Every structure is written in C-alpha cells, then in structure tokens.
Amino acid sequence: MITTITLNAAIDQVYEMNSLMLGETNRVLQKLQQGGGKGINVGRVIQTLGGEVFVGGFVGGLNGEKIKALLKEEKMQTGFIQIEGESRICLTVSNKQTKEMTELLEDGPTIHQHEWQEMLNWIETQTECSEYFVLSGSLPKGVPMAAYAMIIRLLKQKGVRVALDTSGEALKQGVEAIPFIIKPNEDEIVQLIGKQAVAQDDLIQAGEKIQDLGIEHVCFSLGEKGALFVNRSGVYQVNAPKINVVNTVGSGDAFLGGLVYKLSEGVDCTEAYKWAVACGSANAGEKEIAKVQKGTVQSLIKELQITKIKER
C-alpha cells in the first residue's frame, strides 16, 4: 500500500479557452473539474497504473465535500481529516492560441492545532498498512513550517519510506529529516542550493551533496529536457520523449507517481526512473491534471533511453 498526503487539498478546475484577454470578457469552451492537490494527483496516477493507494489530507466546507465526492466517483480510497475552514479552489486557464497555462491558486484554510494533531495521529495509524508515503504540495496556514520534517521522522521510526515534493523552507527542513526520495524541479533546486543551477554540472554537484546526506533517490525533473537522477551508485540521465504538449500542470505529480509505484513493486531503480519520465510526459499530453493512460505510458517508455553519466 502507498499512502499520499495532501495537507492543502483543492478542487482543481481547468478552463479551456480560445484565448485569454486581460480586462476583457472571455468565454470558456470547456470546464474540467476534479479533486486535486499534489498528493491526490500522485495517488490518481498510482491507481491508474494499477497500484493500491490511499489518499489522505485535510478537507473542509462545501469545497471539501466536493473534493470527497469527486474522488469517490474515481473510486479512490480516502481518509481525510475534516477541518473547520474551507478547502481551496485552484484554477488553470488553458489558452489554445498560445498554448500557455495560467494558474490561479488560492491560499487555502488555516489549520488549528487540534486538527494538526489529529492528522499526525491518523498518519501513525496508517503506517500499519503502508510501506511508502508521499508528502506533496504546499503547507496550509497554521501548520508548522517543519511539518513535513516532523512527519518524515515519525514515518522513518516506523520503517516507512517517504517521498517528499514541496518547496521553500518546507523543502529545506524536510531534506534535513532525510526522506527516501526528493523530487525538486528547476525552481526548487535554486531555492534548495541557494544559487542559480543552470548547468548540468551544477545539478550533479547539488544532487550528490544532497544524496550524501542519506537520501536514496534525488530526482531532478527538467521538463522537455527529461530528468536527472542521483543515487548511491551514480548519476543517471533520461531523455524526454517527443509529445504534443497539451497541459503540463500535474506532470511533476505524474512523474512522482510513476517513480514511487515502480519502486514499491521492487523493480530496478533505472526502470523506475524511466517510468517516472514516461508518466510525466504522458500527463503533459492530456487535458486533465494527473490523468495518464497506462497504454500511453508503456508506449512512451519504448522511446526512452537511460544513460549512466557518472559513477559514484
């Protein structure tokens, strides 16, 4: 079993438009809506691939009820902590003319101390049936900045492997707690190492430094440039397949879902790395967020090459 945690769950809405004109009236061609937040997105991909996944987090208000209803329609297993506040809505506007994606993200609710403690208690109980946990997304207000670090330490005491995907101070403190996997994108790499990491050598140096802390898999998702992976045995590069990009929102979550799912199956890490890139790419070819087709993923894997570019 894999459990994903989304502390700042949301209703994800995508508006597809011919064009977006600021200050003008704009007509929506199509609206897509689903329960979202990064951990939920990861869970959706794992379920699509055939994995057993349980989705947890905070939900509240009418939006929270909608999130639960939408996930029930997808037959996802959920275990949300009910809060007093109102869950957020995250809007993505897809401009068909320019192929640009514009995201409007609400902050979300404030979590009270008793709600946070209830979450920690739930997570500890969930360790009895989960070998992997995925911690993804931003921290809601009211939750300590060290929240992910606290959860990682709790899970490691129970022998659970943890994947972390967040940013800023939450990422920095989470890394110090030594999760099993981290997956920073290019912007988060800059935040983590404190300098512009534009060259591959910079990424490799940063990845090796982080991996030396004890993190088993340091994964740099690089969009159309593929991905770079650092582990104890070396540094690996995977190319990105050629696809018709439709919507890149959620591709990082799909990447992490593919990676964790295959590692949980016990496959060689190099195979898991290819599945990660294939899932991220497959998502970019879909209108909906973090909804991949398993057949598409398997087809894309055939186009991928993994190269060990450095021994360690």
Side-chain angles (χ1 to χ4, degrees):
M1 170 79 80
I2 301 167
T3 294
T4 74
I5 300 295
T6 308
L7 297 180
N8 209 358
I11 297 174
D12 278 344
Q13 290 188 173
V14 179
Y15 285 170
E16 186 178 339
M17 311 175 76
N18 269 328
S19 62
L20 177 62
M21 303 294 292
L22 297 180
E24 303 289 340
T25 299
N26 295 271
R27 299 290 180 183
V28 177
L29 296 178
Q30 185 178 15
K31 175 180 134 179
L32 304 172
Q33 189 179 65
Q34 62 189 41
K38 292 179 71 63
I40 292 172
N41 294 340
V42 172
R44 177 177 293 113
V45 171
I46 291 170
Q47 177 171 283
T48 299
L49 297 177
E52 187 178 7
V53 64
F54 205 98
V55 172
F58 292 119
V59 294
L62 293 176
N63 288 342
E65 292 303 311
K66 183 66 173 178
I67 291 169
K68 290 190 290 184
L70 288 167
L71 295 178
K72 186 176 181 180
E73 290 177 6
E74 297 185 60
K75 296 181 172 56
M76 295 189 73
Q77 298 184 76
T78 62
F80 290 109
I81 304 299
Q82 198 69 33
I83 59 172
E84 296 175 18
E86 183 79 34
S87 293
R88 62 188 182 141
I89 296 175
C90 293
L91 176 64
T92 299
V93 180
S94 174
N95 187 327
K96 290 186 70 176
Q97 281 190 3
T98 65
K99 295 188 177 181
E100 291 177 325
M101 302 292 169
T102 302
E103 293 185 87
L104 304 174
L105 310 180
E106 295 182 3
D107 277 347
T110 297
I111 306 302
H112 299 298
Q113 176 59 34
H114 69 92
E115 295 166 340
W116 171 235
Q117 186 58 53
E118 190 176 352
M119 172 59 71
L120 292 175
N121 294 342
W122 181 84
I123 288 172
E124 186 166 9
T125 300
Q126 193 66 14
T127 61
E128 297 174 6
C129 61
S130 298
E131 297 176 350
Y132 278 81
F133 264 71
V134 179
L135 311 178
S136 295
S138 61
L139 296 178
K141 294 174 293 214
V143 168
M145 194 58 65
Y148 283 140
M150 294 168 64
I151 295 172
I152 291 166
R153 292 187 177 102
L154 168 64
L155 292 173
K156 287 173 64 179
Q157 288 176 358
K158 300 291 185 177
V160 176
R161 291 175 167 178
V162 188
L164 176 66
D165 182 15
T166 187
S167 59
E169 186 63 22
L171 174 61
K172 182 179 178 181
Q173 294 198 34
V175 165
E176 292 171 356
I178 319 299
F180 187 68
I181 300 166
I182 63 166
K183 190 212 67 65
N185 59 28
E186 290 178 276
D187 291 338
E188 292 157 358
I189 295 163
V190 171
Q191 296 172 7
L192 193 60
I193 68 175
K195 69 173 185 176
Q196 294 292 329
V198 293
Q200 187 179 80
D201 287 345
D202 292 323
L203 294 178
I204 293 172
Q205 184 178 5
E208 290 180 327
K209 184 176 180 181
I210 296 167
Q211 200 283 320
D212 285 342
L213 296 173
I215 297 173
E216 291 290 331
H217 302 280
V218 180
C219 313
F220 297 138
S221 56
L222 305 173
E224 63 182 15
K225 293 180 286 186
L228 200 67
F229 301 88
V230 183
N231 62 34
R232 284 181 292 179
S233 69
V235 181
Y236 298 83
Q237 186 174 34
V238 180
N239 65 302
K242 293 181 180 180
I243 59 166
N244 178 31
V245 176
V246 177
N247 179 11
T248 59
V249 178
S251 288
D253 304 326
F255 177 106
L256 189 57
L259 176 67
V260 173
Y261 169 61
K262 296 309 289 186
L263 287 175
S264 74
E265 285 199 318
V267 306
D268 185 82
C269 66
T270 57
E271 183 68 13
Y273 294 164
K274 290 170 67 176
W275 274 76
V277 174
C279 286
S281 300
N283 174 82
E286 300 284 343
K287 290 182 181 180
E288 295 176 89
I289 297 171
K291 283 199 173 181
V292 304
Q293 304 297 323
K294 189 172 183 179
T296 302
V297 173
Q298 292 171 324
S299 177
L300 290 175
I301 286 173
K302 297 176 183 177
E303 300 180 33
L304 299 179
Q305 293 182 339
I306 184 164
T307 305
K308 191 173 189 179
I309 59 177
K310 185 177 179 182
E311 290 280 353
R312 297 199 69 204

